[in-house]
Amino acid sequence: MKHKKVVYVVALLGGCAGYWYFSSEPAPALAQVETSAVQAVVATQQSQVVKPMQSKQVMVKETLPESVSERFSLLADAYAEELTLPAYSVPLSINDEHLLNPNQYVAQPVMLEGGASASIVMPKYRFSFPEPVIITLEVDGLTVTGVSAALQSELSANTEVLAKGDMADQNGKWTVKLDATEEWDGPMEVNVTFSAKGKKQTLTTGIEYSYPTATITGIGEVRAEGSDMLIPLKITVEKAGYYRVRANLYTTNQQPVALLTASKKLSEGAVEMDLKAYKGVLPKQDGEFTLGSFVLERRPAVPGELTRYGRSNEPSYDLGEFAVEQLSDEPWQPDEQEIQRLEFLQKMADE
């Protein structure tokens, strides 16, 4: 989609000096550009002492500012296009696999001797209590025996094993289910050990496990609010804090529509948190929608504190039919800070 291309262009130009202007952390690519500029000037000055008529040095000095100006121009155009839609409602397509499956575990095959390979496969990356952890070992080109798995916390100073078990062979795949306890919390290390050709080998991977700090329990009445489709999430909060929720909006035939995002400070107990879908990302015709692929995070309150996660009682919720035509056609208006950023980029592109 057009909006997605804009995002990719912004990512490509993330090393540009404009990003440094917006962020408290300097961009590495900016340092490289500035260093190159300084080196070019120094080289020019040094060359001119010996050979003042070297035209090649003059060309380097002249073309570098034009290149930087072009980058600012591209970044300004991309950012201006991005500001046509609100950040809380981003269009989705079937190609956005990392957004459509935010909790997907990506297996990484490990090459072994003789061209064989082995990989740990997990149903997902992030787990919530009391979900069991199911671990699978897939081996290609090698016969293995004595396969076992162990789970331990990455936060613990010692190497205490929280759970372990022998893995059973099921049609060439070795699997074990480890049942959780309430003590499981934070990043976890998964170790799978097996023997092959007289050697013992261990594969390691990582997952996240947490006792949920909040739970999405349902959806309130969906309604129109100006140019937005407003979706109230019903949440039971176990631990108060500043929360961010992300969810994907789909049509009833599971066609992706938009990634919706909201942040809010929540108190303990039963609360509501609104997600909004901007008219500009919705289908032109009325229809039925579903909401799913939830990621509920409790953000760190102080430096060093871990991000904690919530969960949803259901993987998705039906929103029913919604009349898109009842939304207003007013264009999205960026805030003052976003406008200032755009003006800065445009100014740098003209210089």
Side-chain angles (χ1 to χ4, degrees):
M1 297 180 68
K2 184 177 180 181
H3 183 80
K4 284 298 170 187
K5 293 180 180 178
V6 171
V7 175
Y8 298 149
V9 172
V10 174
L12 179 63
L13 299 174
C16 190
Y19 181 79
W20 169 83
Y21 176 78
F22 308 139
S23 173
S24 59
E25 298 180 3
L30 171 61
Q32 295 171 2
V33 171
E34 293 180 342
T35 302
S36 300
V38 173
Q39 291 173 344
V41 174
V42 172
T44 301
Q45 293 173 347
Q46 291 175 343
S47 298
Q48 288 175 348
V49 173
V50 180
K51 299 178 181 180
M53 300 305 292
Q54 286 274 357
S55 59
K56 183 182 295 185
Q57 303 302 328
V58 175
M59 289 178 60
V60 172
K61 186 177 180 180
E62 290 179 350
T63 57
L64 184 60
E66 291 178 3
S67 176
V68 173
S69 178
E70 290 174 359
R71 293 186 180 186
F72 271 114
S73 180
L74 288 172
L75 184 57
D77 292 342
Y79 191 62
E81 182 69 17
E82 184 179 358
L83 292 184
T84 60
L85 293 172
Y88 61 76
S89 181
V90 178
L92 276 181
S93 75
I94 57 174
N95 298 320
D96 298 317
E97 295 183 5
H98 63 296
L99 297 177
L100 296 175
N101 301 287
N103 197 17
Q104 182 180 13
Y105 176 86
V106 180
Q108 300 291 335
V110 176
M111 300 307 298
L112 305 174
E113 293 182 5
S117 65
S119 58
I120 298 176
V121 179
M122 311 284 291
K124 53 187 175 181
Y125 170 71
R126 190 177 301 111
F127 296 80
S128 294
F129 182 81
E131 294 175 330
V133 173
I134 299 175
I135 306 169
T136 300
L137 175 68
E138 295 185 358
V139 182
D140 184 30
L142 191 67
T143 300
V144 300
T145 59
V147 186
S148 63
L151 191 68
Q152 63 188 59
S153 172
E154 292 186 357
L155 301 179
S156 177
N158 54 43
T159 57
E160 178 186 0
V161 174
L162 300 177
K164 61 181 179 179
D166 295 329
M167 304 179 72
D169 184 6
Q170 299 178 352
N171 300 321
K173 296 182 180 180
W174 300 80
T175 304
V176 67
K177 183 178 74 170
L178 301 179
D179 293 324
T181 67
E182 293 188 16
E183 288 72 29
W184 292 16
D185 193 24
M188 312 286 277
E189 183 177 281
V190 178
N191 295 308
V192 174
T193 302
F194 59 89
S195 296
K197 296 184 177 180
K199 296 181 180 179
K200 181 175 288 188
Q201 303 188 59
T202 298
L203 301 184
T204 300
T205 189
I207 61 171
E208 289 275 352
Y209 203 101
S210 64
Y211 197 92
T213 58
T215 302
I216 299 172
T217 59
I219 302 292
E221 181 181 356
V222 180
R223 61 185 186 276
E225 187 176 87
S227 58
D228 292 319
M229 172 187 181
L230 192 144
I231 308 169
L233 293 182
K234 295 182 178 180
I235 304 175
T236 300
V237 179
E238 301 293 338
K239 190 172 184 179
Y242 189 78
Y243 281 83
R244 180 176 69 177
V245 63
R246 290 173 288 172
N248 293 338
L249 184 68
Y250 303 90
T251 59
T252 50
N253 59 355
Q254 287 303 299
Q255 289 299 308
V257 176
L259 168 64
L260 309 182
T261 306
S263 298
K264 187 179 181 181
K265 187 174 183 179
L266 302 179
S267 57
E268 293 184 4
V271 300
E272 283 194 355
M273 191 172 183
D274 295 335
L275 290 172
K276 296 185 293 184
Y278 180 61
K279 184 177 182 179
V281 304
L282 296 175
K284 301 302 181 182
Q285 69 278 6
D286 300 343
E288 296 185 356
F289 298 90
T290 63
L291 191 70
S293 304
F294 298 100
V295 178
L296 181 60
E297 303 168 283
R298 182 183 181 274
R299 312 296 288 172
V302 295
E305 184 179 17
L306 293 176
T307 298
R308 299 294 180 178
Y309 294 91
R311 58 182 296 272
S312 175
N313 280 342
E314 301 293 338
S316 64
Y317 294 93
D318 292 331
L319 305 183
E321 188 171 356
F322 183 81
V324 177
E325 62 180 12
Q326 66 182 307
L327 299 177
S328 66
D329 293 323
E330 58 189 272
W332 162 251
Q333 296 294 331
D335 60 31
E336 183 177 351
Q337 186 179 27
E338 291 170 326
I339 294 176
Q340 290 176 352
R341 292 175 178 176
L342 178 60
E343 291 175 345
F344 169 79
L345 292 174
Q346 293 172 336
K347 178 181 178 182
M348 295 299 295
D350 293 336
E351 291 184 353

